[in-house]
Amino acid sequence: MVMPKKGEKMEMKLTSSPWGFRFYNFENYCAFLKKIGITGICVFFADPKELLLAFGDNMSDEDIKKIKAVVAKNGQSIFEVCGGGDYTVKTRINEEIEKTKKHIDLSVKLGAKIFRVFGGWIKEEEATDETYEQISESLTQIGKYAKKYNITIAMENHGGVTRTAKQVVRIMKKVKADNVGVNYDPANFQFHNEDAYRALLEIKEYIVFTHIKSCKKIGDKMHYCRLNEGTIDYKPIFAELNKFYEGYWTLEYEEPKDVEAGTIDDLKILKSMLE
């Protein structure tokens, strides 16, 4: 990231991940983000029958037109979409890649520039060398497909086969598409007993997007929490990211029951830390 000159204030690119709002309808989600000054919207594909905010796989052009009308009314735009398939399965990997391509096609119509995916959902102890090879190859195919639309693919570290920085690097080193990178989520590393700052140093060349939240241990279990309640020291993380990162700082308050209050609180904390 290019640092401002003395006395010059640099614009912060701020947004919020949709997960904590998963039980909101889309209009209310957009309205809240507008209220707190967020104009770049993140959305996701899942089953709308289970998660009200989710976009379905079979959205029509009319559905997309209505969605774009809502964001336009609020002076917003959709720039990041989460979707895709499970790239750790063996028997239906082609179907999973085709599912992802369909999501990318829909994301193009929505105007997105970043498409976020997960490596897959196999248990870490069940993953083999072939599993990691397959993820890398899947991301290569997806990246090449997305490139023609000028879309960046961001694989999130999310436990399992992406629990550690070493695993993430193992996957990324064999991806042969220059528009595929990593969504760096410090709390997801810390949640799974991987130091968030040391992980950053290992994967920084791949980072294209971020999720900002925190976590803490209650008893013998880790829990996600507000930034000012967690154990992650963001000072060295932001200092390092500010050397090169030029993308969005994405809040991800995950608890649905107080997502508005939590997001507002975290937004204030994030702004103060970045300033």
Side-chain angles (χ1 to χ4, degrees):
M1 180 179 287
V2 178
M3 297 303 291
K5 297 177 183 178
K6 188 175 181 180
E8 178 186 2
K9 189 172 182 180
M10 191 169 185
E11 179 186 2
M12 294 180 197
K13 294 192 286 188
L14 302 172
T15 187
S16 178
S17 177
W19 185 241
F21 299 90
R22 55 195 177 273
F23 302 117
Y24 274 50
N25 68 47
F26 186 67
E27 289 194 7
N28 289 344
Y29 170 61
C30 291
F32 171 73
L33 293 184
K34 178 185 178 181
K35 185 172 72 173
I36 63 173
I38 288 177
T39 58
I41 304 297
C42 302
V43 296
F44 68 104
F45 286 103
D47 185 351
K49 293 179 182 178
E50 295 182 3
L51 303 173
L52 184 60
L53 185 60
F55 292 170
D57 293 353
N58 297 311
M59 283 197 307
S60 66
D61 286 344
E62 185 60 29
D63 293 331
I64 291 172
K65 184 178 179 180
K66 290 177 181 178
I67 289 165
K68 294 181 77 172
V70 171
V71 295
K73 180 183 70 175
N74 287 293
Q76 298 165 320
S77 61
I78 294 172
F79 76 93
E80 188 256 13
V81 179
C82 180
D86 183 345
Y87 314 124
T88 62
V89 297
K90 292 182 179 180
T91 56
R92 62 176 193 279
I93 189 59
N94 291 333
E95 289 85 347
E96 297 297 307
I97 291 173
E98 289 304 311
K99 176 182 179 180
T100 304
K101 288 179 178 179
K102 183 177 182 181
H103 284 174
I104 290 172
D105 290 339
L106 293 170
S107 298
V108 171
K109 294 180 179 181
L110 291 167
K113 294 300 180 185
I114 294 177
F115 189 79
R116 179 166 52 92
V117 300
F118 302 101
W121 306 110
I122 194 172
K123 293 180 180 179
E124 181 180 2
E125 61 272 19
E126 295 176 0
T128 64
D129 290 344
E130 183 183 354
T131 304
Y132 289 96
E133 294 279 350
Q134 184 171 280
I135 298 170
S136 300
E137 174 57 28
S138 299
L139 292 174
T140 297
Q141 290 188 44
I142 293 160
K144 290 180 177 179
Y145 185 80
K147 189 170 185 177
K148 62 184 178 181
Y149 299 119
N150 197 30
I151 284 181
T152 297
I153 302 296
M155 181 191 72
E156 182 173 347
N157 60 284
H158 202 268
V161 289
T162 56
R163 179 181 64 82
T164 68
K166 183 177 180 180
Q167 290 170 313
V168 170
V169 171
R170 180 179 183 179
I171 291 168
M172 293 304 302
K173 272 189 172 180
K174 293 194 174 182
V175 174
K176 298 179 177 64
D178 60 8
N179 62 323
V180 178
V182 172
N183 175 53
Y184 169 57
D185 189 317
N188 283 351
F189 276 129
Q190 204 90 358
F191 190 92
H192 296 286
N193 301 312
E194 176 84 335
D195 183 85
Y197 177 68
R198 287 199 294 268
L200 166 61
L201 298 180
E202 291 187 53
I203 69 168
K204 63 182 182 179
E205 67 182 282
Y206 303 112
I207 296 173
V208 295
F209 201 56
T210 62
H211 276 174
I212 307 299
K213 58 179 181 277
S214 198
C215 57
K216 62 182 177 181
K217 184 169 281 190
I218 301 176
D220 60 350
K221 291 185 178 181
M222 293 294 290
H223 296 265
Y224 292 114
C225 63
R226 299 188 188 191
L227 290 173
N228 63 356
E229 297 174 352
T231 57
I232 297 175
D233 181 3
Y234 267 101
K235 186 175 180 179
I237 290 173
F238 286 142
E240 186 63 33
L241 282 169
N242 271 323
K243 295 176 183 177
F244 64 89
Y245 181 66
E246 298 180 338
Y248 275 79
W249 306 98
T250 309
L251 293 167
E252 191 182 36
Y253 187 76
E254 294 202 351
E255 180 52 59
K257 67 182 180 182
D258 63 343
V259 65
E260 291 193 14
T263 299
I264 290 171
D265 189 29
D266 280 3
L267 180 59
K268 291 177 182 176
I269 298 296
L270 177 59
K271 284 181 176 180
S272 68
M273 287 193 293
L274 290 175
E275 289 172 346

